[in-house]
Amino acid sequence: KHAMLQAQDEASLRSSIQEARAACVEAAVLAEAEARLRTLTAERELADAGVLVAALEMAGVAQEEDAATYRAAYEEAREAGVDESKLVQAEEILHRLHEPTQMQMDAAYFNQTFDSL
């Protein structure tokens, strides 16, 4: 494996990707590193959004748009391949915020689609 793919944090991975581009590293290796960077970034953003929502909840000032922001971070994390255990924790927070999980949205779509037949 390329050393770039061993980077465990966003900053060093981002720097390695820039160096690899300058050195004309093959596209497949760059794509793998960029996917890893997306996952790391989405994981951090989900965690940051979770901390923010928790603080707002504790202060009693959480708003609908805060839940929507958290949902967006969750969706990006899901698409970026963030670890399943972190997604499960996020789904628990979404449930607490009364935001539907992906499974609930899929079920609602399924029901809506087939109820209309």
Side-chain angles (χ1 to χ4, degrees):
K1 283 279 184 189
H2 196 281
M4 167 175 56
L5 299 177
Q6 304 306 313
Q8 293 300 308
D9 65 276
E10 288 176 71
S12 58
L13 184 54
R14 195 173 313 253
S15 173
S16 294
I17 289 171
Q18 288 173 340
E19 290 170 15
R21 271 202 191 102
C24 298
V25 168
E26 65 182 88
V29 174
L30 276 173
E32 191 175 342
E34 288 168 341
R36 174 89 179 112
L37 179 60
R38 180 182 179 198
T39 300
L40 288 172
T41 301
E43 193 172 294
R44 178 188 47 78
E45 288 176 352
L46 182 62
D48 290 351
V51 169
L52 176 62
V53 164
L56 293 170
E57 277 185 311
M58 285 178 59
V61 294
Q63 302 288 316
E64 218 172 277
E65 61 265 19
D66 301 317
T69 298
Y70 190 76
R71 160 156 292 294
Y74 164 76
E75 293 297 338
E76 171 59 17
R78 234 171 46 82
E79 291 174 20
V82 168
D83 182 67
E84 188 66 31
S85 65
K86 290 180 172 65
L87 295 177
V88 168
Q89 289 174 341
E91 287 170 1
E92 290 169 3
I93 292 170
L94 287 170
H95 182 72
R96 198 173 68 231
L97 295 170
H98 306 294
E99 278 285 301
T101 63
Q102 186 63 43
M103 197 170 15
Q104 290 167 327
M105 290 192 317
D106 290 345
Y109 175 79
F110 179 84
N111 289 338
Q112 179 183 15
T113 300
F114 289 96
D115 286 350
S116 64
L117 294 179

